Amino acid sequence: MSGSVEPGGVAVRIEIDELRRPEVLALLDEHRTEMFATTCSAESVHALDLDALRADSVTVWTAWLGDEVVGCVALKRIAPQHGELKSMRTTAAARGRGVGAALLSHVLAEAAAAGFTRVSLETGAEDFFAPARRLYERFGFVECPPFGSYRLDPLSVFYTRALSAAEAPA
């Protein structure tokens, strides 16, 4: 499903992405490159590669301002009613403009509509990830123990959030 939101008065178009457009591939490559450059240990980087993002259990949405991709987010089904946020990213130019909040709001609504009752995520513990952690907390995510196949890692912070059917789009 796609939609349009207006963070900060700017119309952002959000759509499901097939991961074929060069600008989207470049954004995802930038994301993985920065995760490996920012995180102290490669074993603590859990960003999905392109093949993993194209799996049947994953849906990817991209955010656009006109013809420019400004962000992305993925939702991976890890259990029948439990999803995991992956590859949450906004471009440097879009940061602080509400694009991340628009993507997060959209994916949570889509998850609720798909019957998910819980969404969880892993993010970095380093200062670089503090803005992301604040965004997740603002959206009601709370810290939790490692879930799925994750193990306790001092470089990771785990979050979860319950969903209700009322959060699904009408």
Side-chain angles (χ1 to χ4, degrees):
M1 180 177 220
S2 66
S4 223
V5 294
E6 296 195 22
V10 179
V12 175
R13 185 179 78 254
I14 299 175
E15 59 189 39
I16 291 177
D17 205 286
E18 294 182 0
L19 305 178
R20 306 235 182 271
R21 294 176 276 196
E23 59 269 45
V24 173
L25 299 178
L27 177 64
L28 290 167
D29 184 58
E30 174 186 295
H31 174 64
R32 283 183 48 86
T33 298
E34 188 169 56
M35 294 304 95
F36 280 100
T38 305
T39 304
C40 298
S41 168
E43 292 79 32
S44 295
V45 175
H46 303 287
L48 298 179
D49 65 19
L50 198 54
D51 287 338
L53 286 169
R54 288 181 174 148
D56 290 340
S57 60
V58 178
T59 303
V60 179
W61 289 268
T62 49
W64 299 81
L65 286 174
D67 293 333
E68 179 185 1
V69 64
V70 292
C72 62
V73 65
L75 181 65
K76 178 180 179 182
R77 185 178 295 272
I78 58 175
Q81 295 180 311
H82 190 184
E84 179 184 4
L85 287 183
K86 300 298 293 183
S87 301
M88 180 82 175
R89 176 76 173 189
T90 57
T91 61
R95 291 190 188 131
R97 297 177 62 190
V99 173
L103 279 164
L104 190 52
S105 180
H106 185 85
V107 74
L108 291 174
E110 291 296 319
F116 288 90
T117 58
R118 177 159 305 283
V119 173
S120 301
L121 65 97
E122 177 277 337
T123 191
E126 295 98 334
D127 288 345
F128 174 84
F129 297 97
R133 292 191 305 267
R134 285 191 299 271
L135 175 66
Y136 298 134
E137 290 166 3
R138 197 175 66 200
F139 273 77
F141 283 86
V142 294
E143 283 192 49
C144 67
F147 57 90
S149 62
Y150 291 108
R151 300 200 188 302
L152 197 57
D153 180 343
L155 298 177
S156 290
V157 179
F158 302 94
Y159 285 96
T160 195
R161 181 186 188 279
L163 295 176
S164 71
E167 294 181 86

